[in-house]
Amino acid sequence: MRADAPDLVISDVMMPGLDGLALVSALRTDPRTASVPVLLLSARAGQEASVEGLRAGADDYLVKPFAAAELLARVRATIELARLRNHQARWRDALIDSLQEAFFVCDEDGAVIEINAAFTDILGYEPEGLPYRPVHPWWPDADTDPEAHRQVHDAFEQLLGDPKGSYTIPVSHRDGHRLWVTATFNQARDPDTGRQVTVGTFRDVTAEHHAIQRKSAQAALGMRLTQATSLPEALAGALDELKQLWRAERVLATVVAPGREPAVTATDAPLRWDDLTAERRDELTAWLEQPPLTPVDDDTGAGITVNHPEGTMVLRIDLGDHRPFTDEDRLLLSLLAGQLAQGLARAHQIDQQRETAIALQRSILGPSDLPDGFAVRYEPATQPLEVGGDWYDTVRLQDGRIGIVVGDCVGRGLEAATVMGQLRSACRALLLQDANPARTLMALDRFAAGIPGAACTTVFCGVLDPDTGHLTYSSAGHPPGILTHPDGTTRLLDEGRSVPLAVRPGTHRPEGSCTVPARATLLLYTDGLVERRRRPLTAGIDQASEAVQDGRNAAVDDLATQVMTRLAPTNGYDDDVALLLYRHPAPLDVAFPAESSQLAPVRKALRSWLDQCELPPHTVQNVLVAAGEACANAIEHGHRDAPGDTVRLRAEALVDDLHLTVADTGRWKTPQPDLNTHRGRGVALMRALMHQVTITSGAAGTTVDMHTRIA
């Protein structure tokens, strides 16, 4: 009856099992038979019996006995009235079934009580299964796909709580395959019963969803690859993007190149090939045999082989046990893997070009092998260039002095860097020809006048005697150098100043001079370090002076980092910055063969250096004795089995501390004072003379670190 509803139901009230009244009630409560007319027959006469039958939902009530003509008349009238009454309902049903979108009606509890033919076509569920109570059978399984189940659950809560709305959710067809539908709903009230219902439609957007998903995923991956500045960064960014896309537990890439251990990159933590389980290594090795861009999957994830600039790469996406990998996922993974291969190839090509460009840029910037005592920092304002219009240079002159140059061309970027490279090379050549700062700048004036873009370049040019600390200098419109004394007082090197280059070529340039005291620090810089908008230049110079004052007891290389960090604006430097630091005297670094005949020359060199540091006599004596004991031990004990190997002595003086290091490549003997009471006291003597002594022995040798305070 439910599958093929009749035109009329005639039933006796007194029926065995299910009586006529109960039958009427059952028919009226089922949406598929609610409109079928019912004629009840009964031997019970009287008004009460008729009212009871009509109240149960019968269309007419006929009391026995009756004539056949009366029954036929009643049947004809009931059917005609039912047809008139159901015409609107049939018209409504026809309209709903004509919809190409899936139509549904939910009761107050969310049970689906009515659907149309398109609903069956799209989801596979038929009217015979009504009502479909929540959880509806088309919801994704909570165990195998908890994320999709959560999305549908949240949307269902919206349907019950909001008067109207729309959402796009994943659902499962009756045969098990995944669909995406856009649901639109609105609440209404049944005019007959007054009950609130929700009327809505499902539109199949599976193809659109996957197309948008593919485009979005490709755009996001492309953005990651474009933003990367290196091949490793490109790969790491791509793995993060894949992890987010599939909500994966982990994504890892294994690159296999001939003659090398496979390199592993993962999204969760740094990994090596040996860190993977043997089962996982075997799986990835087997996947290497797969054709490129052919996805493979198992119960816990999926993978694909991709061409990598350094070899063959296998991507592995770990999804865990609760995420199916569909055909659409396989298609998307294949597309993204192809895009990734192209992106990695471009990143590798850019890496090679960048390495070449950086090598060329650094070659025009300045020497990487600095004289002892110097530290430099350089930060261009234009990324990703490694150089700009600023430069520094140190030039070892034939007489042992050192030429010092810091310059700043007008502008920034590649054009300024081109001008800078020519001026730096010319200035170096002029200093080597004539070690006089003023005459060097005058000659550089004439050279700069013939170079487009070189006018108004500022330069500080000096010649330093590292033995005495005497500095002669000339400035072509450059910010003054800062000399910080051991006691914290500062002096600006503002003598010998004149106009920038090529402003008045041929004009005589003045010189200034000073002596860098022992344990003092000299700072030279370009205006990018100290110049800020809406602030006087002198304020920036004062800030740089304070930074050097506060860090004057740090090693010169550490001080360079401290100054750059302390003066850096919140958003980074917006102009090129070149910085050069020198501390006098430079650290002493002596390497000598492990022979006792070398002790006297080493002691002489150390005494000469200590004299430059201007230390108290008792401090000098203590250092000489302690260093002598350390060097003697290194020769006698450390190299007893390999005489002639190298011993290295390094000494560095800060403002209040002196650091001394003696390192050898051997191993000292354990002292045995019981066998010889006159020996084995060298270490005790060092500890008595210095404030701190640390002896570190290892397979590479023995190192003695000694510190003493400068009174």
Side-chain angles (χ1 to χ4, degrees), residues 65-265:
F66 50 80
E70 183 180 5
L71 174 62
L72 290 176
R74 294 284 187 99
V75 167
R76 186 179 301 107
T78 301
I79 291 176
E80 189 63 29
L81 288 173
R83 285 176 178 173
L84 292 174
R85 184 173 64 244
N86 294 333
H87 173 74
Q88 192 67 28
R90 290 196 303 273
W91 176 244
R92 169 185 172 277
D93 292 342
L95 289 176
I96 291 175
D97 278 336
S98 69
L99 294 176
Q100 295 183 354
E101 296 181 351
F103 174 85
F104 65 90
V105 178
C106 292
D107 64 15
E108 294 173 331
D109 298 324
V112 176
I113 58 176
E114 183 180 354
I115 60 176
N116 68 346
F119 193 101
T120 303
D121 294 340
I122 294 175
L123 293 179
Y125 291 93
E126 300 175 343
E128 286 72 23
L130 291 171
Y132 293 108
R133 305 188 183 279
V135 170
H136 302 134
W138 48 86
W139 286 29
D141 187 77
D143 294 328
T144 60
D145 197 350
E147 176 59 27
H149 184 88
R150 183 195 61 78
Q151 293 181 48
V152 178
H153 176 271
D154 293 346
F156 183 67
E157 293 294 323
Q158 178 185 351
L159 180 141
L160 293 180
D162 296 343
K164 61 181 178 179
S166 178
Y167 49 79
T168 299
I169 54 171
V171 294
S172 297
H173 191 275
R174 189 165 190 169
D175 64 12
H177 74 269
R178 171 59 50 83
L179 296 171
W180 284 84
V181 297
T182 294
T184 303
F185 67 90
N186 206 336
Q187 290 183 354
R189 191 166 297 277
D190 190 325
D192 297 328
T193 64
R195 292 184 307 162
Q196 181 173 286
V197 297
T198 300
V199 180
T201 59
F202 284 159
R203 184 168 65 88
D204 186 355
V205 294
T206 305
E208 301 168 33
H209 172 81
H210 289 308
I212 293 173
Q213 184 187 44
R214 287 193 292 269
K215 291 180 180 179
S216 299
Q218 289 177 304
L221 179 61
M223 182 65 70
R224 284 291 190 108
L225 294 173
T226 301
Q227 292 174 343
T229 59
S230 65
L231 179 60
E233 185 179 343
L235 179 56
L239 297 187
D240 285 337
E241 194 63 39
L242 295 178
K243 180 181 179 181
Q244 294 176 25
L245 176 63
W246 270 284
R247 298 183 181 90
E249 296 179 358
R250 180 179 69 176
V251 178
L252 63 85
T254 304
V255 179
V256 179
R260 294 189 335 195
E261 179 184 88
V264 180
T265 304

Side-chain angles (χ1 to χ4, degrees), residues 203-364:
R203 184 168 65 88
D204 186 355
V205 294
T206 305
E208 301 168 33
H209 172 81
H210 289 308
I212 293 173
Q213 184 187 44
R214 287 193 292 269
K215 291 180 180 179
S216 299
Q218 289 177 304
L221 179 61
M223 182 65 70
R224 284 291 190 108
L225 294 173
T226 301
Q227 292 174 343
T229 59
S230 65
L231 179 60
E233 185 179 343
L235 179 56
L239 297 187
D240 285 337
E241 194 63 39
L242 295 178
K243 180 181 179 181
Q244 294 176 25
L245 176 63
W246 270 284
R247 298 183 181 90
E249 296 179 358
R250 180 179 69 176
V251 178
L252 63 85
T254 304
V255 179
V256 179
R260 294 189 335 195
E261 179 184 88
V264 180
T265 304
T267 53
D268 49 357
L271 287 176
R272 297 177 60 253
W273 178 250
D274 293 338
D275 296 331
L276 302 177
T277 63
E279 181 182 1
R280 181 68 75 211
R281 292 198 299 268
D282 292 342
E283 176 191 64
L284 295 175
T285 302
W287 284 0
L288 284 170
E289 305 301 323
Q290 294 289 331
L293 305 183
T294 303
V296 291
D297 59 273
D298 54 27
D299 293 338
T300 61
I304 195 168
T305 303
V306 182
N307 290 328
H308 187 277
E310 298 176 357
T312 303
M313 180 174 71
V314 175
L315 286 177
R316 163 80 191 187
I317 303 175
D318 290 331
L319 299 173
D321 299 329
H322 304 302
R323 170 70 164 87
F325 203 76
T326 65
D327 291 339
E328 285 294 337
D329 288 322
R330 296 183 186 91
L331 174 60
L332 180 59
L333 178 58
S334 181
L335 292 173
L336 294 181
Q339 182 180 357
L340 174 59
Q342 297 175 0
L344 294 180
R346 286 194 298 270
H348 180 63
Q349 184 179 13
I350 292 173
D351 269 355
Q352 293 179 317
Q353 294 172 349
R354 183 186 299 108
E355 290 174 3
T356 303
I358 288 174
L360 293 173
Q361 292 172 41
R362 289 177 177 171
S363 69
I364 66 172

